[in-house]
Amino acid sequence: MSANSAEKELAFKRKSIHKLPDQKKSQSSSNFNAKKIELVPLALLKDVPATEQPLLLIKKLQQCSVVFNFLIATEDIQGKEVKRACLNEIVDYISTTKGVLTEAVYPYVIRMICKNIFRALPPSDSLEFDVEEENPTLEASWPHLQLVYELFLSILESPDFQHSIAKKHIDQKLVLELLELFATEDPRERDFLKTVLHRVYGKFLGLRAFIRRHMNNIFLTFIYEREQFPGIPELLEILGSIINGFALPLKPEHRQFLLKVLVPLHKTRGLILFHAQLAYCVVQFLEKDASLTYPVVQGILKYWPQTCSAKEVMFLSEIEEILDIMEPTQFGLVKNELFFQLAKCVASPHFQVAERALYFWNNEYILSLIEEHSATILPIMFSSLYQISKEHWNQTIVSLVYNVLKTFMEMNTHVFDNLTASYKAKQQMELQKKIEREELWKKLDDLSLKSNIDDDQMNDDFADGSTNQNNQPGCLGKCA
């Protein structure tokens, strides 16, 4: 292997030198200027005549396009401070002064924003990103980046913002790079990105389909290729607002997005990081179109966790939210599959899963749906409930089960009494079968023991006969 090849292989294996165990994790933009550029403080905008302010603003925007290396804290201290002060001044100027967003300013301000925020993000050291990590990797150049994002937002929210001019500069390429930045681990930046993208979606109608399509691609990549994208919760928050504005009837592409993207997101390992946002999106869809209830509930039951109790509790919470908005006709379609799964959850040895499932009976609306179909639901649930009331290790669960059984008895006494009688008869039959089975095994054991004794006796008799025959005197003479 050549020296160059060895160096390349080592470069891919080497972790970021800026993430040492004993130092605070931080990363810096990879597009800072290699050449040292000295920034000279310019005059304040408020100190020059109004006629000179547009030209001075453009000069300041050009100054702010210089990007510094923040990983070396002692480098270019004066230049960093000049840029920070300049950004602060521009943000205040655009926010408080009318008529400053002229057609000549747009290319310079968008170019400056792009130069600062768009950069190659360093690879993560871990295979899975944890949003709840106490020390996420932070962007070292945040003192400047924050002001750039504030400037971007102040422009998008300005009364002087002109869509016809801005659309020449805020295009699909810019939006695509914005979406890629959601991969940053810095939660502060993702929060700004969420607001910026939401404003862009609201102001640029021509970019809406493009934004939805590429959000779709990000979700599909996360589901089927690599479960590492820190910005999933923020994208789902944006999506929740977008779904709220969908017109009725829903387009086929929106229905497909729900069933082919949002429902499969339930099977990902990192669900705990974004389940609240995901559940909100699903509920928004079902409030828009109740006919989607059956396929959505089927999809959730398909991806129901088998070994993770924490995820089961989340699934139960989402099912309760769906039931809260479910129409009675739709409930009639899903009740069988749904309550077969609930019966399993109630019988779970993990008390939190059982407790969360039993809390469904504290919801008045769900209780009214159950009462309407009690003749169907009670036979599904009865066996699990009755067994738990006798055997469960947790007394809180036992008391909750007693309350549920009492509720069922008040709902439909006739069915409850029949089920109780049939359950006891079934238990008696099983007990009788158990006794018969034990007696049969005892008989088999006795037969086996008797057979072993007979075999031993036969072997002893055979051994005695052989000894007597060998000891006869005539045998020796004949043999001789």
Side-chain angles (χ1 to χ4, degrees), residues 136-387:
T137 305
L138 301 178
E139 173 59 49
S141 60
W142 187 245
H144 286 176
L145 266 184
Q146 180 180 4
L147 294 170
V148 173
Y149 278 115
E150 287 178 2
L151 174 61
F152 201 175
L153 279 176
S154 65
I155 291 169
L156 291 171
E157 295 171 354
S158 171
D160 298 332
F161 181 78
Q162 300 178 59
H163 169 267
S164 57
I165 300 173
K167 69 180 182 180
K168 300 174 185 177
H169 309 285
I170 300 177
D171 53 10
Q172 291 185 356
K173 182 176 180 294
L174 184 144
V175 167
L176 187 59
E177 289 187 285
L178 272 178
L179 285 166
E180 289 174 354
L181 281 178
F182 277 92
T184 179
E185 293 185 17
D186 194 328
R188 303 168 300 180
E189 183 170 11
R190 293 201 308 272
D191 195 51
F192 269 106
L193 284 166
K194 175 183 67 177
T195 310
V196 166
L197 187 62
H198 195 218
R199 297 290 183 274
V200 170
Y201 186 90
K203 291 185 177 292
F204 296 87
L205 301 182
L207 293 174
R208 289 185 176 183
F210 179 82
I211 291 172
R212 291 197 305 269
R213 187 164 61 250
H214 281 276
M215 287 172 69
N216 188 5
N217 292 342
I218 290 171
F219 291 135
L220 289 173
T221 303
F222 183 80
I223 296 168
Y224 297 109
E225 292 182 17
R226 191 163 184 255
E227 289 189 22
Q228 186 184 17
F229 195 85
I232 294 293
E234 286 78 14
L235 291 177
L236 285 172
E237 281 189 49
I238 298 170
L239 190 62
S241 300
I242 293 173
I243 295 167
N244 202 22
F246 282 164
L248 294 176
L250 290 176
K251 295 179 181 178
E253 65 175 280
H254 300 330
R255 297 167 64 92
Q256 185 180 23
F257 176 76
L258 169 65
L259 300 176
K260 301 295 184 183
V261 179
L262 292 186
V263 173
L265 269 174
H266 287 81
K267 72 176 183 178
T268 56
R269 288 175 295 175
L271 178 66
I272 192 172
L273 305 177
F274 54 82
H275 180 259
Q277 295 88 340
L278 177 59
Y280 177 78
C281 291
V282 171
V283 170
Q284 287 286 307
F285 263 113
L286 298 185
E287 285 184 331
K288 291 278 183 182
D289 188 350
S291 66
L292 292 167
T293 303
Y294 182 68
V296 166
V297 172
Q298 274 197 321
I300 292 174
L301 293 176
K302 175 185 175 182
Y303 297 119
W304 199 274
Q306 303 299 318
T307 58
C308 182
S309 300
K311 284 183 72 173
E312 271 197 278
V313 172
M314 287 189 289
F315 272 56
L316 287 166
S317 299
E318 184 175 358
I319 288 292
E320 184 173 7
E321 289 183 42
I322 292 172
L323 286 171
D324 265 333
I325 61 161
M326 190 180 292
E327 295 179 0
T329 52
Q330 296 298 322
F331 182 79
L333 297 176
V334 303
K335 65 181 186 300
N336 287 355
E337 296 97 325
L338 183 57
F339 278 88
F340 273 119
Q341 184 59 56
L342 279 179
K344 294 178 184 177
C345 292
V346 166
S348 172
H350 196 290
F351 81 97
Q352 288 181 334
V353 175
E355 185 179 49
R356 190 65 190 82
L358 290 166
Y359 279 157
F360 278 37
W361 277 261
N362 292 340
N363 187 305
E364 292 295 331
Y365 180 67
I366 296 175
L367 207 57
S368 67
L369 295 174
I370 293 173
E371 185 172 9
E372 188 177 346
H373 300 273
S374 60
T376 305
I377 295 171
L378 186 50
I380 296 172
M381 299 292 302
F382 185 84
S383 179
S384 296
L385 291 170
Y386 199 89
Q387 187 175 0

Side-chain angles (χ1 to χ4, degrees), residues 96-110:
T96 58
T97 311
K98 293 183 179 180
V100 296
L101 286 177
T102 61
E103 187 171 357
V105 171
Y106 277 93
Y108 290 98
V109 70
I110 298 299

Side-chain angles (χ1 to χ4, degrees), residues 440-454:
L440 181 59
W441 277 112
K442 187 176 179 182
K443 288 179 181 179
L444 288 172
D445 287 341
D446 292 342
L447 287 173
S448 176
L449 183 61
K450 184 178 179 182
S451 176
N452 289 337
I453 292 171
D454 291 343

Side-chain angles (χ1 to χ4, degrees), residues 31-68:
N31 59 345
F32 58 81
N33 296 279
K35 296 179 181 178
K36 288 189 177 182
I37 300 175
E38 296 290 338
L39 293 188
V40 179
L42 300 173
L44 297 177
L45 287 163
K46 65 180 181 180
D47 294 340
V48 299
T51 54
E52 298 178 13
Q53 287 180 358
L55 183 59
L56 181 59
L57 176 62
I58 290 173
K59 288 182 179 179
K60 286 180 176 286
L61 289 170
Q62 289 174 329
Q63 257 196 349
C64 292
S65 296
V66 178
V67 182
F68 294 96

